[in-house]
Amino acid sequence: MGSGGALTGRLSRIRTSRNSKSVSTQKNESITLLKHPWRHIKPFVSIRQSFSTSPFNNIIPKNIPLLFPQMENRNIEKLLFYDLETTGLSGGAGTLAFLAGFGWVENDRLIINQYFLHDFPGEIDFLLLIKELLTDDKILVSYNGKSFDHPLLRTRFLMKGLKLPSISEIDLLHTSRRLWKNRLPSCRLGVIEDRILDIHRVNDIPGIEVPDIYFDFLKTNKSEPLEGVFKHHLQDIKSLAFLLAYINGQWFNPFNIPENDKTSFGKIMLFRNREEGLELLKQSFLKKDNEAGKILSIYYKRNKNLTAAVNIWKEMWNNSQELFQGLELAKYYEHKTKEIESALEIVKLLMQKENTERIMSKLEHRMRRLERKSVSG
DNA sequence: TGAAGGGAAGTTAGCTATAC
DNA sequence: GTATAGCTAACTTCCCTTCA
Protein backbone atom coordinates (compact mmCIF):
# COMPACT_ATOMS: atom_id res chain seq x y z
CA MET A 1 0.00 0.00 0.00
CA GLY A 2 2.80 2.42 0.96
CA SER A 3 4.87 1.56 -2.12
CA GLY A 4 1.79 2.00 -4.33
CA GLY A 5 1.30 5.47 -2.90
CA ALA A 6 4.94 6.33 -3.45
CA LEU A 7 4.75 5.15 -7.06
CA THR A 8 1.60 7.18 -7.67
CA GLY A 9 3.27 10.24 -6.24
CA ARG A 10 6.37 9.76 -8.37
CA LEU A 11 4.34 9.27 -11.56
CA SER A 12 2.34 12.36 -10.72
CA ARG A 13 5.51 14.40 -10.28
CA ILE A 14 7.01 13.13 -13.54
CA ARG A 15 3.72 13.79 -15.33
CA THR A 16 3.57 17.32 -13.92
CA SER A 17 7.10 18.11 -15.05
CA ARG A 18 6.63 16.56 -18.49
CA ASN A 19 3.23 18.14 -19.13
CA SER A 20 4.57 21.54 -18.34
CA LYS A 21 6.35 22.82 -21.46
CA SER A 22 7.22 25.96 -19.57
CA VAL A 23 9.39 23.95 -17.15
CA SER A 24 11.94 23.18 -19.85
CA THR A 25 12.02 26.72 -21.14
CA GLN A 26 12.45 28.02 -17.62
CA LYS A 27 15.39 25.65 -17.15
CA ASN A 28 17.53 27.60 -19.62
CA GLU A 29 17.30 30.50 -17.20
CA SER A 30 17.74 28.33 -14.11
CA ILE A 31 21.07 26.92 -15.27
CA THR A 32 22.77 30.16 -14.38
CA LEU A 33 21.38 29.82 -10.87
CA LEU A 34 23.95 27.18 -9.98
CA LYS A 35 26.74 28.96 -8.22
CA HIS A 36 30.45 28.86 -9.00
CA PRO A 37 32.31 26.45 -9.37
CA TRP A 38 29.52 24.89 -11.44
CA ARG A 39 30.07 25.46 -15.16
CA HIS A 40 27.31 25.29 -17.75
CA ILE A 41 28.71 23.14 -20.58
CA LYS A 42 25.65 21.88 -22.49
CA PRO A 43 22.10 23.26 -22.81
CA PHE A 44 20.88 21.20 -19.84
CA VAL A 45 24.10 20.00 -18.22
CA SER A 46 26.51 21.58 -15.77
CA ILE A 47 29.80 20.30 -14.39
CA ARG A 48 31.68 20.94 -11.19
CA GLN A 49 35.24 19.78 -10.54
CA SER A 50 36.59 19.27 -7.00
CA PHE A 51 40.09 18.55 -5.76
CA SER A 52 41.27 16.99 -2.54
CA THR A 53 44.30 15.14 -1.24
CA SER A 54 44.48 11.55 -2.49
CA PRO A 55 43.90 9.03 0.31
CA PHE A 56 46.45 6.77 -1.37
CA ASN A 57 49.38 9.14 -0.80
CA ASN A 58 50.80 7.31 2.21
CA ILE A 59 50.31 3.83 0.83
CA ILE A 60 53.11 1.99 -0.88
CA PRO A 61 52.80 0.10 -3.19
CA LYS A 62 49.95 1.75 -5.03
CA ASN A 63 48.78 -1.37 -6.78
CA ILE A 64 45.27 -2.64 -6.29
CA PRO A 65 45.39 -5.43 -3.70
CA LEU A 66 45.01 -9.03 -4.74
CA LEU A 67 41.84 -8.97 -2.70
CA PHE A 68 40.49 -8.05 -6.14
CA PRO A 69 42.41 -10.66 -8.19
CA GLN A 70 40.79 -9.82 -11.50
CA MET A 71 42.43 -6.40 -11.23
CA GLU A 72 45.92 -7.77 -10.62
CA ASN A 73 48.84 -5.41 -11.24
CA ARG A 74 46.69 -2.47 -12.26
CA ASN A 75 47.62 0.92 -10.87
CA ILE A 76 45.48 3.02 -8.56
CA GLU A 77 45.36 5.75 -11.21
CA LYS A 78 43.22 3.50 -13.41
CA LEU A 79 40.41 3.51 -10.85
CA LEU A 80 37.23 5.48 -11.48
CA PHE A 81 35.18 5.95 -8.30
CA TYR A 82 31.59 6.65 -9.24
CA ASP A 83 28.14 7.24 -7.84
CA LEU A 84 24.76 8.37 -9.20
CA GLU A 85 21.90 10.28 -7.66
CA THR A 86 18.65 9.23 -9.27
CA THR A 87 14.93 9.96 -9.37
CA GLY A 88 14.16 6.83 -7.38
CA LEU A 89 15.19 3.35 -6.42
CA SER A 90 13.20 1.15 -8.73
CA GLY A 91 14.77 -0.04 -11.92
CA GLY A 92 13.14 0.07 -15.33
CA ALA A 93 12.46 2.99 -17.64
CA GLY A 94 10.92 5.37 -15.09
CA THR A 95 14.07 6.10 -13.10
CA LEU A 96 16.98 8.15 -14.40
CA ALA A 97 20.18 9.64 -13.05
CA PHE A 98 20.31 13.43 -12.68
CA LEU A 99 23.69 13.66 -10.93
CA ALA A 100 26.72 11.56 -11.85
CA GLY A 101 30.10 11.77 -10.18
CA PHE A 102 33.42 10.26 -11.17
CA GLY A 103 36.61 10.49 -9.16
CA TRP A 104 40.16 9.49 -9.99
CA VAL A 105 43.66 9.84 -8.58
CA GLU A 106 46.12 12.02 -10.44
CA ASN A 107 49.54 12.46 -8.87
CA ASP A 108 48.77 13.32 -5.23
CA ARG A 109 45.23 14.52 -5.82
CA LEU A 110 41.77 13.04 -5.88
CA ILE A 111 39.85 14.77 -8.68
CA ILE A 112 36.06 14.48 -8.79
CA ASN A 113 33.82 15.57 -11.68
CA GLN A 114 30.11 15.97 -10.90
CA TYR A 115 27.71 16.25 -13.82
CA PHE A 116 24.27 17.72 -13.17
CA LEU A 117 21.27 17.26 -15.46
CA HIS A 118 19.00 20.34 -15.30
CA ASP A 119 16.12 18.69 -17.14
CA PHE A 120 15.25 15.52 -19.00
CA PRO A 121 15.85 16.82 -22.57
CA GLY A 122 19.56 17.08 -21.76
CA GLU A 123 19.96 13.42 -20.89
CA ILE A 124 21.66 12.44 -24.15
CA ASP A 125 24.41 15.07 -23.61
CA PHE A 126 24.64 14.03 -19.97
CA LEU A 127 25.23 10.38 -20.98
CA LEU A 128 27.70 11.30 -23.73
CA LEU A 129 29.81 13.25 -21.20
CA ILE A 130 29.82 10.19 -18.92
CA LYS A 131 30.78 7.95 -21.83
CA GLU A 132 33.91 10.06 -22.50
CA LEU A 133 35.28 8.98 -19.10
CA LEU A 134 34.53 5.28 -19.50
CA THR A 135 37.59 4.14 -21.46
CA ASP A 136 38.27 0.41 -21.40
CA ASP A 137 41.54 0.70 -19.42
CA LYS A 138 39.57 1.98 -16.40
CA ILE A 139 38.23 0.04 -13.42
CA LEU A 140 34.99 1.30 -11.92
CA VAL A 141 34.69 1.41 -8.13
CA SER A 142 31.25 1.70 -6.58
CA TYR A 143 29.09 0.88 -3.57
CA ASN A 144 26.35 -1.50 -4.65
CA GLY A 145 27.02 -0.26 -8.18
CA LYS A 146 26.84 -3.71 -9.73
CA SER A 147 23.22 -3.97 -8.62
CA PHE A 148 22.04 -0.36 -8.76
CA ASP A 149 24.11 2.28 -10.58
CA HIS A 150 25.51 0.11 -13.37
CA PRO A 151 22.19 -1.50 -14.50
CA LEU A 152 20.50 1.91 -14.32
CA LEU A 153 23.19 3.50 -16.52
CA ARG A 154 22.96 0.55 -18.93
CA THR A 155 19.19 1.07 -19.26
CA ARG A 156 19.51 4.83 -19.82
CA PHE A 157 22.25 4.32 -22.45
CA LEU A 158 20.06 1.71 -24.17
CA MET A 159 17.03 4.00 -24.18
CA LYS A 160 19.06 6.73 -25.88
CA GLY A 161 20.47 4.31 -28.46
CA LEU A 162 23.94 4.35 -26.88
CA LYS A 163 26.12 1.47 -25.78
CA LEU A 164 27.59 1.52 -22.29
CA PRO A 165 31.27 0.50 -22.57
CA SER A 166 32.10 -2.80 -20.88
CA ILE A 167 34.41 -2.05 -17.94
CA SER A 168 35.57 -4.09 -14.93
CA GLU A 169 34.03 -3.04 -11.64
CA ILE A 170 34.93 -3.36 -7.96
CA ASP A 171 31.80 -3.20 -5.82
CA LEU A 172 32.96 -2.33 -2.32
CA LEU A 173 29.62 -3.29 -0.73
CA HIS A 174 30.46 -6.97 -0.99
CA THR A 175 34.03 -6.51 0.25
CA SER A 176 32.69 -4.52 3.20
CA ARG A 177 30.21 -7.25 4.03
CA ARG A 178 32.91 -9.89 4.02
CA LEU A 179 35.06 -7.78 6.29
CA TRP A 180 32.60 -6.25 8.74
CA LYS A 181 29.20 -7.92 8.62
CA ASN A 182 29.88 -9.73 11.88
CA ARG A 183 30.69 -6.66 13.92
CA LEU A 184 28.66 -3.80 12.42
CA PRO A 185 24.88 -3.36 12.70
CA SER A 186 24.73 -2.91 8.92
CA CYS A 187 27.14 -2.42 6.02
CA ARG A 188 25.55 0.71 4.55
CA LEU A 189 28.19 3.18 3.36
CA GLY A 190 27.22 5.66 6.10
CA VAL A 191 27.88 3.08 8.81
CA ILE A 192 31.24 2.11 7.25
CA GLU A 193 32.22 5.79 7.17
CA ASP A 194 31.25 6.31 10.78
CA ARG A 195 32.65 3.14 12.30
CA ILE A 196 35.61 2.27 10.08
CA LEU A 197 36.79 5.39 8.26
CA ASP A 198 36.14 7.86 11.08
CA ILE A 199 34.19 10.11 8.70
CA HIS A 200 31.24 11.77 10.43
CA ARG A 201 28.80 13.66 8.22
CA VAL A 202 27.18 16.84 9.52
CA ASN A 203 23.69 17.86 8.32
CA ASP A 204 23.74 15.17 5.66
CA ILE A 205 20.68 14.65 3.46
CA PRO A 206 19.11 11.19 3.78
CA GLY A 207 19.12 9.38 0.43
CA ILE A 208 15.37 8.90 0.55
CA GLU A 209 14.86 12.69 0.27
CA VAL A 210 17.03 13.12 -2.83
CA PRO A 211 14.38 12.37 -5.52
CA ASP A 212 11.89 14.79 -3.95
CA ILE A 213 14.47 17.59 -3.81
CA TYR A 214 15.19 17.09 -7.53
CA PHE A 215 11.48 17.01 -8.45
CA ASP A 216 10.95 20.22 -6.46
CA PHE A 217 13.81 21.80 -8.40
CA LEU A 218 12.16 20.79 -11.70
CA LYS A 219 8.96 22.51 -10.61
CA THR A 220 10.29 25.60 -8.84
CA ASN A 221 13.75 26.28 -10.34
CA LYS A 222 15.07 26.85 -6.83
CA SER A 223 18.53 25.33 -6.70
CA GLU A 224 19.48 26.06 -3.07
CA PRO A 225 18.07 22.78 -1.69
CA LEU A 226 20.20 20.92 -4.23
CA GLU A 227 23.37 22.10 -2.46
CA GLY A 228 22.78 19.42 0.18
CA VAL A 229 22.44 16.78 -2.52
CA PHE A 230 25.67 17.91 -4.23
CA LYS A 231 27.52 17.81 -0.90
CA HIS A 232 26.12 14.37 -0.03
CA HIS A 233 27.04 13.04 -3.47
CA LEU A 234 30.58 14.43 -3.35
CA GLN A 235 31.14 12.80 0.04
CA ASP A 236 29.87 9.45 -1.29
CA ILE A 237 32.58 9.45 -3.96
CA LYS A 238 35.31 10.62 -1.58
CA SER A 239 34.31 7.86 0.82
CA LEU A 240 34.68 5.24 -1.91
CA ALA A 241 38.28 6.35 -2.43
CA PHE A 242 38.96 6.45 1.31
CA LEU A 243 37.43 3.01 1.77
CA LEU A 244 39.51 1.38 -0.95
CA ALA A 245 42.60 3.16 0.37
CA TYR A 246 41.84 1.81 3.86
CA ILE A 247 41.44 -1.76 2.62
CA ASN A 248 44.53 -1.35 0.45
CA GLY A 249 46.53 -0.14 3.43
CA GLN A 250 45.47 -3.05 5.63
CA TRP A 251 46.15 -5.54 2.87
CA PHE A 252 49.74 -4.42 2.47
CA ASN A 253 50.37 -3.94 6.22
CA PRO A 254 48.48 -6.89 7.72
CA PHE A 255 50.08 -6.60 11.13
CA ASN A 256 48.61 -3.14 11.66
CA ILE A 257 45.08 -4.48 11.25
CA PRO A 258 42.87 -3.65 14.27
CA GLU A 259 42.34 -6.49 16.71
CA ASN A 260 38.66 -7.02 15.91
CA ASP A 261 39.25 -7.15 12.13
CA LYS A 262 42.04 -9.74 12.17
CA THR A 263 39.73 -12.72 11.75
CA SER A 264 37.88 -11.40 8.69
CA PHE A 265 41.04 -10.09 7.00
CA GLY A 266 42.81 -13.34 7.91
CA LYS A 267 40.03 -15.40 6.38
CA ILE A 268 40.17 -13.50 3.07
CA MET A 269 43.97 -13.61 3.02
CA LEU A 270 43.96 -17.36 3.60
CA PHE A 271 41.44 -17.71 0.78
CA ARG A 272 43.80 -15.71 -1.45
CA ASN A 273 46.76 -17.90 -0.40
CA ARG A 274 48.48 -15.18 1.62
CA GLU A 275 50.24 -16.85 4.52
CA GLU A 276 49.92 -13.71 6.70
CA GLY A 277 46.27 -14.74 6.93
CA LEU A 278 47.30 -17.80 8.93
CA GLU A 279 49.21 -15.64 11.41
CA LEU A 280 46.29 -13.21 11.80
CA LEU A 281 43.91 -16.08 12.53
CA LYS A 282 46.31 -17.59 15.06
CA GLN A 283 46.51 -14.22 16.84
CA SER A 284 42.71 -13.97 16.92
CA PHE A 285 42.34 -17.50 18.20
CA LEU A 286 44.82 -16.75 21.00
CA LYS A 287 42.36 -14.02 22.02
CA LYS A 288 39.63 -16.69 22.28
CA ASP A 289 37.95 -15.87 18.96
CA ASN A 290 36.15 -19.13 18.14
CA GLU A 291 35.38 -18.00 14.56
CA ALA A 292 39.14 -17.78 13.95
CA GLY A 293 39.54 -21.26 15.45
CA LYS A 294 36.85 -22.60 13.16
CA ILE A 295 38.50 -21.18 10.01
CA LEU A 296 41.97 -22.28 11.12
CA SER A 297 40.88 -25.85 11.94
CA ILE A 298 39.07 -26.27 8.61
CA TYR A 299 42.23 -25.06 6.87
CA TYR A 300 44.39 -27.56 8.81
CA LYS A 301 41.93 -30.39 8.21
CA ARG A 302 41.90 -29.77 4.44
CA ASN A 303 45.68 -29.67 4.42
CA LYS A 304 45.86 -33.03 6.25
CA ASN A 305 47.30 -31.51 9.43
CA LEU A 306 44.83 -33.31 11.68
CA THR A 307 46.95 -32.87 14.82
CA ALA A 308 46.77 -29.09 14.55
CA ALA A 309 43.04 -29.23 13.80
CA VAL A 310 42.31 -31.51 16.79
CA ASN A 311 44.25 -29.25 19.16
CA ILE A 312 42.07 -26.33 18.11
CA TRP A 313 38.81 -28.32 18.43
CA LYS A 314 39.82 -29.45 21.93
CA GLU A 315 40.63 -25.93 23.01
CA MET A 316 37.38 -24.60 21.51
CA TRP A 317 35.43 -27.38 23.25
CA ASN A 318 37.04 -26.48 26.59
CA ASN A 319 36.07 -22.82 26.03
CA SER A 320 32.51 -23.49 24.93
CA GLN A 321 30.67 -26.70 24.16
CA GLU A 322 29.15 -25.74 20.82
CA LEU A 323 28.03 -27.73 17.82
CA PHE A 324 30.95 -27.16 15.42
CA GLN A 325 33.80 -28.22 17.67
CA GLY A 326 31.69 -30.94 19.31
CA LEU A 327 30.79 -32.59 16.02
CA GLU A 328 34.35 -32.41 14.69
CA LEU A 329 35.70 -33.98 17.86
CA ALA A 330 33.00 -36.67 17.82
CA LYS A 331 33.90 -37.57 14.21
CA TYR A 332 37.58 -37.64 15.13
CA TYR A 333 37.06 -39.92 18.15
CA GLU A 334 34.70 -42.25 16.28
CA HIS A 335 36.60 -42.66 13.02
CA LYS A 336 40.26 -41.95 13.82
CA THR A 337 41.05 -42.95 17.41
CA LYS A 338 38.04 -45.27 17.92
CA GLU A 339 37.32 -43.70 21.31
CA ILE A 340 33.61 -44.48 21.02
CA GLU A 341 32.77 -43.55 24.61
CA SER A 342 34.38 -40.10 24.22
CA ALA A 343 32.42 -39.49 21.04
CA LEU A 344 29.21 -40.63 22.72
CA GLU A 345 29.75 -38.35 25.69
CA ILE A 346 30.18 -35.32 23.40
CA VAL A 347 27.12 -36.14 21.31
CA LYS A 348 24.95 -36.54 24.42
CA LEU A 349 26.15 -33.17 25.73
CA LEU A 350 25.32 -31.51 22.39
CA MET A 351 21.85 -33.06 22.46
CA GLN A 352 21.15 -31.45 25.85
CA LYS A 353 21.84 -28.01 24.36
CA GLU A 354 20.36 -28.42 20.89
CA ASN A 355 16.83 -27.25 20.16
CA THR A 356 16.76 -27.37 16.36
CA GLU A 357 14.78 -30.34 15.09
CA ARG A 358 16.97 -30.85 12.03
CA ILE A 359 20.25 -30.92 14.02
CA MET A 360 18.62 -32.97 16.78
CA SER A 361 17.64 -35.76 14.40
CA LYS A 362 21.19 -35.90 13.05
CA LEU A 363 22.60 -36.06 16.57
CA GLU A 364 20.15 -38.82 17.50
CA HIS A 365 21.20 -40.79 14.44
CA ARG A 366 24.85 -40.40 15.41
CA MET A 367 24.15 -41.36 19.00
CA ARG A 368 22.33 -44.58 17.99
CA ARG A 369 25.23 -45.60 15.76
CA LEU A 370 27.75 -44.90 18.52
CA GLU A 371 25.68 -46.88 21.02
CA ARG A 372 25.60 -49.88 18.65
CA LYS A 373 29.38 -49.66 18.29
CA SER A 374 29.77 -49.28 22.04
CA VAL A 375 27.75 -52.45 22.76
CA SER A 376 29.43 -54.54 20.01
CA GLY A 377 32.85 -53.28 20.59
C1' DT B 1 10.95 -1.84 -6.48
C1' DG B 2 15.08 -4.90 -9.01
C1' DA B 3 19.43 -6.97 -9.30
C1' DA B 4 24.03 -8.76 -7.61
C1' DG B 5 26.54 -11.35 -4.68
C1' DG B 6 27.72 -13.47 -0.17
C1' DG B 7 26.60 -16.99 2.90
C1' DA B 8 23.75 -20.58 4.92
C1' DA B 9 21.46 -24.67 4.04
C1' DG B 10 20.37 -28.45 1.21
C1' DT B 11 21.65 -31.91 -2.40
C1' DT B 12 24.53 -34.99 -4.98
C1' DA B 13 28.53 -37.67 -6.40
C1' DG B 14 32.64 -39.88 -5.36
C1' DC B 15 35.64 -41.87 -2.22
C1' DT B 16 36.89 -44.69 1.92
C1' DA B 17 36.09 -47.67 5.82
C1' DT B 18 33.60 -51.26 7.87
C1' DA B 19 30.43 -55.22 8.49
C1' DC B 20 28.87 -59.39 6.87
C1' DG C 1 33.34 -59.36 -2.81
C1' DT C 2 29.33 -56.71 -1.84
C1' DA C 3 26.38 -53.65 0.68
C1' DT C 4 26.10 -50.01 3.72
C1' DA C 5 27.39 -45.86 6.12
C1' DG C 6 29.93 -41.72 6.69
C1' DC C 7 32.68 -37.88 5.12
C1' DT C 8 33.96 -34.23 1.91
C1' DA C 9 33.87 -31.26 -1.98
C1' DA C 10 31.25 -29.31 -5.45
C1' DC C 11 27.15 -27.67 -6.81
C1' DT C 12 22.39 -25.59 -6.29
C1' DT C 13 18.84 -23.00 -4.05
C1' DC C 14 17.20 -19.60 -1.12
C1' DC C 15 17.44 -15.54 1.80
C1' DC C 16 19.17 -11.12 2.96
C1' DT C 17 21.17 -6.59 2.17
C1' DT C 18 22.10 -2.37 -0.35
C1' DC C 19 21.44 1.47 -3.54
C1' DA C 20 17.90 7.02 -4.04
Side-chain angles (χ1 to χ4, degrees), chain A residues 53-239:
Chain A
T53 307
S54 163
F56 295 93
N57 283 353
N58 299 322
I59 296 167
I60 299 169
K62 291 185 179 178
N63 290 332
I64 303 162
L66 292 178
L67 176 56
F68 309 104
Q70 67 274 41
M71 316 302 176
E72 192 175 349
N73 294 328
R74 299 244 218 145
N75 194 279
I76 290 299
E77 297 192 349
K78 297 292 180 193
L79 297 172
L80 204 52
F81 304 95
Y82 86 107
D83 182 52
L84 305 177
E85 299 302 326
T86 73
T87 56
L89 262 190
S90 37
T95 302
L96 55 80
F98 65 86
L99 184 62
F102 293 86
W104 64 92
V105 172
E106 208 172 278
N107 299 320
D108 292 341
R109 294 190 306 178
L110 176 66
I111 302 174
I112 296 173
N113 278 4
Q114 286 172 287
Y115 299 92
F116 177 67
L117 175 65
H118 287 254
D119 202 356
F120 304 143
E123 193 186 11
I124 184 92
D125 286 330
F126 179 76
L127 296 177
L128 284 169
L129 284 164
I130 290 173
K131 195 178 180 188
E132 282 176 13
L133 292 173
L134 303 179
T135 51
D136 59 10
D137 61 330
K138 295 290 197 305
I139 302 162
L140 291 170
V141 182
S142 65
Y143 208 79
N144 200 30
K146 284 187 176 178
S147 306
F148 181 73
D149 306 74
H150 203 126
L152 192 134
L153 264 189
R154 197 187 304 122
T155 303
R156 299 316 305 176
F157 268 68
L158 196 66
M159 290 187 72
K160 295 295 172 190
L162 301 171
K163 189 174 185 306
L164 183 66
S166 171
I167 304 182
S168 306
E169 179 161 357
I170 296 173
D171 188 335
L172 291 177
L173 165 66
H174 304 293
T175 314
S176 300
R177 280 210 183 125
R178 290 174 77 181
L179 288 172
W180 298 300
K181 76 170 255 197
N182 287 333
R183 78 169 174 97
L184 294 184
S186 103
C187 287
R188 284 182 294 114
L189 184 58
V191 175
I192 302 291
E193 285 175 358
D194 190 54
R195 304 282 289 274
I196 305 294
L197 302 176
D198 209 19
I199 294 171
H200 310 287
R201 300 196 190 206
V202 180
N203 298 327
D204 188 44
I205 294 210
I208 195 168
E209 293 179 12
V210 169
D212 283 339
I213 293 173
Y214 184 62
F215 284 122
D216 285 345
F217 166 75
L218 289 177
K219 280 193 280 190
T220 65
N221 272 343
K222 288 180 182 165
S223 65
E224 289 79 15
L226 281 169
E227 287 303 324
V229 177
F230 298 149
K231 186 180 159 199
H232 165 94
H233 179 241
L234 187 66
Q235 184 57 55
D236 278 351
I237 299 166
K238 281 185 186 173
S239 292

Side-chain angles (χ1 to χ4, degrees), chain A residues 293-353:
Chain A
K294 190 173 171 181
I295 299 161
L296 263 180
S297 66
I298 290 171
Y299 170 82
Y300 285 135
K301 188 180 169 184
R302 283 185 184 159
N303 287 281
K304 313 291 180 199
N305 187 350
L306 202 57
T307 309
V310 169
N311 286 338
I312 291 171
W313 295 330
K314 283 181 177 172
E315 195 173 332
M316 286 171 75
W317 183 250
N318 287 337
N319 293 339
S320 60
Q321 295 174 339
E322 290 172 13
L323 189 67
F324 170 78
Q325 52 265 37
L327 265 185
E328 291 299 333
L329 272 180
K331 285 184 210 170
Y332 171 74
Y333 287 136
E334 181 184 355
H335 300 292
K336 296 294 175 188
T337 65
K338 313 297 176 194
E339 295 171 80
I340 304 301
E341 294 305 325
S342 300
L344 198 53
E345 189 183 329
I346 288 172
V347 172
K348 284 180 176 172
L349 256 169
L350 288 174
M351 287 173 71
Q352 286 172 16
K353 297 180 157 213

